[in-house]
Amino acid sequence: MEDLPAQPSSPRGLTYGVAASQVLGLAVITMTGAWLGQYQGGLAWENASLQFNVHPLCMVIGLVFLQGDALLVYRVFRNESKRSTKVLHGLLHALALIVALVGLIAVFQSHQKKGYPDMYSLHSWCGITAFGLYFVQWLLGLGFFLFPGASFALRSRYKPQHVFFGGFLLTLSIATALLGILELLLFRIKDSYSSFAPEGVLANILGLLLVAFGAVVGYVLTREEWKRPPVAEELALSMDFKNLTDESSLASPR
Amino acid sequence: MEDLPAQPSSPRGLTYGVAASQVLGLAVITMTGAWLGQYQGGLAWENASLQFNVHPLCMVIGLVFLQGDALLVYRVFRNESKRSTKVLHGLLHALALIVALVGLIAVFQSHQKKGYPDMYSLHSWCGITAFGLYFVQWLLGLGFFLFPGASFALRSRYKPQHVFFGGFLLTLSIATALLGILELLLFRIKDSYSSFAPEGVLANILGLLLVAFGAVVGYVLTREEWKRPPVAEELALSMDFKNLTDESSLASPR
């Protein structure tokens, strides 16, 4: 590390914010695992009850932690090349999608084995909305920003929408996780929940940690002076695949 | 209306966005009322069961609709004087606080009359966090922006925090409302919920409308070119109560 050339440093507040988000994110995953292991019998794919437990763990890893980290890469690697950062952003979202898909298969298969009905609760409605839109957003991101087709003007028009929906989908995913926690508690420990059973308290704290993760990620992303500084290289990279006949759009990217 | 002098118009997209938010917000309030009236026996303060129903209606009016509209005033009245807009913002938040307080009293009194335990569920933990922070944010806003004490430099430093936490608290309030909907359904119609009883479907749609309200308000607030344009008057107004000995801070507000 000492041999690396000096490079522009990140603002200290940004470093603390990102560190806090990672501590909270890992705490969320650990507590979800602890809850499922300690109180819900652990994980297994073949057993219908334990297969269900794969669902919350995968959704929290995929649609909360990995999705959040995918949004943070433009802040964490704000001095790296835009192209590498973009590829990392796309890869983290792809990983999040795959992990979330495993989580979805787990709950549908588990319900099917047990003969439980699907898709009737507010949790499931919000969840399928979040997952469906997340997949669409990933495809649009790939089409607009990684494939060569889209012009610079089109990319500039779509980018604010992509950024807004990224934040919205992380928020909706976290809200869906909160609904999932409450639903599971009211199904499994309804009576002892109201007398502050340790499992209920643990899961409530997990819920607040999820909120805190979302708040810290949201804070880091919206802080104006922590945004990626525009560097000379960026315009050139944005132009990489640019349709060369479209140069007039350069002067006014909006 | 025709006789008013011409004034700077708002961007058309902003007008549509605000209109959509109001339609969604009123739909949310109407559907909450319809749910409580049609399926939960309506509202009454003296009857413990019906007093409970005051809770969801007040929280949705106060911490969702009025809170959301309080955030939107800086976009809707982007060409009016900053001082009037600021006062309207503070008043809408004050009204939201009062309505929400009535909603809180309703649920605690109703629980007490029925001997139900309080504050054990994730809904209640998120809700009390949202309400407590909302009250603190309102006090801080009053202290920093409406009372004469704070210097221009201090206001400029606090403003981005105030804006971020405003968005965060609206989001947390909506997530808490979703938790409340799910909790009520699982308490009252758990069995028929899974067979798509009309009440459950209605309440799920209400949940999605709440999400849509939050999304539209969030979109309007974060759209860069819809932000309030800085006008000459504003600096003067920010200076209204400014400590006159503090002029050095003017040059660099951050």
Side-chain angles (χ1 to χ4, degrees):
Chain A
M1 292 291 279
E2 296 87 335
D3 297 320
L4 284 176
Q7 39 175 308
S9 62
S10 281
R12 182 171 297 189
L14 171 58
T15 309
Y16 289 145
V18 170
S21 74
Q22 298 312 288
V23 170
L24 285 167
L26 293 174
V28 160
I29 294 174
T30 312
M31 275 187 79
T32 307
W35 176 21
L36 299 170
Q38 187 73 26
Y39 295 103
Q40 298 291 338
L43 310 171
W45 195 260
E46 296 304 324
N47 173 306
S49 296
L50 302 185
Q51 186 180 25
F52 173 85
N53 294 345
V54 175
H55 173 68
L57 189 64
C58 279
M59 300 326 267
V60 154
I61 293 175
L63 285 191
V64 178
F65 186 69
L66 290 174
Q67 184 181 178
D69 274 12
L71 306 192
L72 287 175
V73 294
Y74 290 112
R75 301 296 177 279
V76 174
F77 302 107
R78 59 207 294 277
N79 302 311
E80 313 298 319
S81 90
K82 179 107 175 216
R83 181 189 265 167
S84 338
T85 315
K86 204 188 257 193
V87 169
L88 181 61
H89 176 79
L91 281 178
L92 278 172
H93 277 311
L95 190 59
L97 259 178
I98 294 167
V99 174
L101 192 63
V102 174
L104 278 185
I105 294 170
V107 68
F108 280 110
Q109 279 199 359
S110 154
H111 277 190
Q112 195 178 27
K113 287 176 194 166
K114 295 195 139 201
Y116 289 170
D118 285 315
M119 295 300 312
Y120 64 87
S121 80
L122 184 56
H123 166 71
S124 63
W125 286 32
C126 287
I128 213 71
T129 305
F131 183 82
L133 292 178
Y134 187 63
F135 183 57
V136 171
Q137 162 101 335
W138 189 80
L139 287 179
L140 288 176
L142 203 71
F144 274 94
F145 300 123
L146 280 173
F147 282 147
S151 72
F152 184 67
L154 205 58
R155 289 180 180 197
S156 302
R157 273 252 291 282
Y158 174 57
K159 195 182 156 197
Q161 319 295 331
H162 185 76
V163 169
F164 171 76
F165 279 99
F168 168 69
L169 289 174
L170 177 63
T171 307
L172 182 57
S173 301
I174 292 175
T176 304
L178 300 181
L179 289 169
I181 292 173
L182 184 66
E183 185 168 311
L184 192 54
L185 291 172
L186 291 179
F187 270 101
R188 302 265 171 98
I189 60 157
K190 190 176 173 187
D191 296 330
S192 61
Y193 192 25
S194 64
S195 52
F196 294 87
E199 179 178 356
V201 173
L202 177 91
N204 284 0
I205 294 172
L206 169 60
L208 293 187
L209 286 176
L210 278 161
V211 171
F213 175 78
V216 172
V217 170
Y219 187 81
V220 168
L221 292 176
T222 54
R223 188 90 193 180
E224 205 55 51
E225 61 278 31
W226 293 349
K227 290 197 169 145
R228 192 181 163 83
V231 291
E233 172 204 30
E234 274 176 30
L235 189 59
L237 279 164
S238 301
M239 295 285 293
D240 264 6
F241 305 117
K242 190 183 167 296
N243 183 339
L244 289 171
T245 61
D246 188 36
E247 285 201 46
S248 61
S249 64
L250 249 184
S252 56
R254 281 175 195 250
Chain B
M1 290 293 278
E2 297 87 334
D3 298 319
L4 283 176
Q7 38 175 310
S9 64
S10 283
R12 182 171 297 190
L14 171 59
T15 308
Y16 289 146
V18 170
S21 74
Q22 298 312 290
V23 170
L24 286 166
L26 293 174
V28 160
I29 295 175
T30 311
M31 274 187 80
T32 307
W35 178 21
L36 299 170
Q38 188 73 25
Y39 295 103
Q40 298 291 338
L43 310 171
W45 195 261
E46 295 305 324
N47 173 307
S49 296
L50 302 187
Q51 187 180 24
F52 172 86
N53 293 346
V54 175
H55 172 69
L57 189 64
C58 280
M59 301 325 267
V60 154
I61 293 174
L63 285 191
V64 177
F65 185 69
L66 289 174
Q67 184 180 180
D69 274 11
L71 305 192
L72 288 176
V73 294
Y74 289 113
R75 301 296 177 281
V76 174
F77 302 106
R78 59 207 294 276
N79 302 312
E80 314 298 319
S81 91
K82 179 106 175 217
R83 181 190 265 166
S84 337
T85 316
K86 205 189 258 192
V87 169
L88 181 61
H89 177 78
L91 282 177
L92 278 173
H93 276 311
L95 189 59
L97 259 177
I98 293 168
V99 174
L101 192 64
V102 173
L104 278 186
I105 293 170
V107 68
F108 280 111
Q109 279 198 0
S110 154
H111 278 190
Q112 195 179 28
K113 286 177 193 165
K114 296 196 138 200
Y116 289 170
D118 285 314
M119 295 302 309
Y120 64 87
S121 79
L122 183 57
H123 166 70
S124 62
W125 286 32
C126 287
I128 213 71
T129 305
F131 184 81
L133 292 178
Y134 186 63
F135 184 55
V136 170
Q137 163 101 336
W138 189 80
L139 287 179
L140 287 175
L142 203 70
F144 274 93
F145 299 123
L146 278 172
F147 283 147
S151 71
F152 185 67
L154 205 58
R155 288 178 180 197
S156 301
R157 273 251 293 281
Y158 173 58
K159 195 182 156 197
Q161 319 296 329
H162 184 77
V163 169
F164 171 75
F165 279 99
F168 168 68
L169 288 173
L170 177 62
T171 307
L172 182 57
S173 301
I174 292 174
T176 304
L178 300 181
L179 288 169
I181 292 172
L182 184 66
E183 186 169 310
L184 192 54
L185 291 171
L186 291 180
F187 268 101
R188 303 265 171 96
I189 60 155
K190 191 176 172 185
D191 295 328
S192 60
Y193 193 26
S194 64
S195 52
F196 295 87
E199 179 179 356
V201 173
L202 177 90
N204 283 359
I205 294 173
L206 169 60
L208 292 188
L209 286 176
L210 277 161
V211 171
F213 175 78
V216 172
V217 170
Y219 187 81
V220 168
L221 292 175
T222 53
R223 188 89 193 182
E224 204 56 52
E225 60 278 32
W226 293 349
K227 290 197 171 149
R228 193 181 162 82
V231 290
E233 174 204 28
E234 274 176 30
L235 189 60
L237 280 165
S238 302
M239 294 283 295
D240 263 5
F241 305 116
K242 189 183 168 294
N243 182 341
L244 289 171
T245 61
D246 187 35
E247 286 200 47
S248 62
S249 63
L250 249 184
S252 56
R254 281 174 195 251

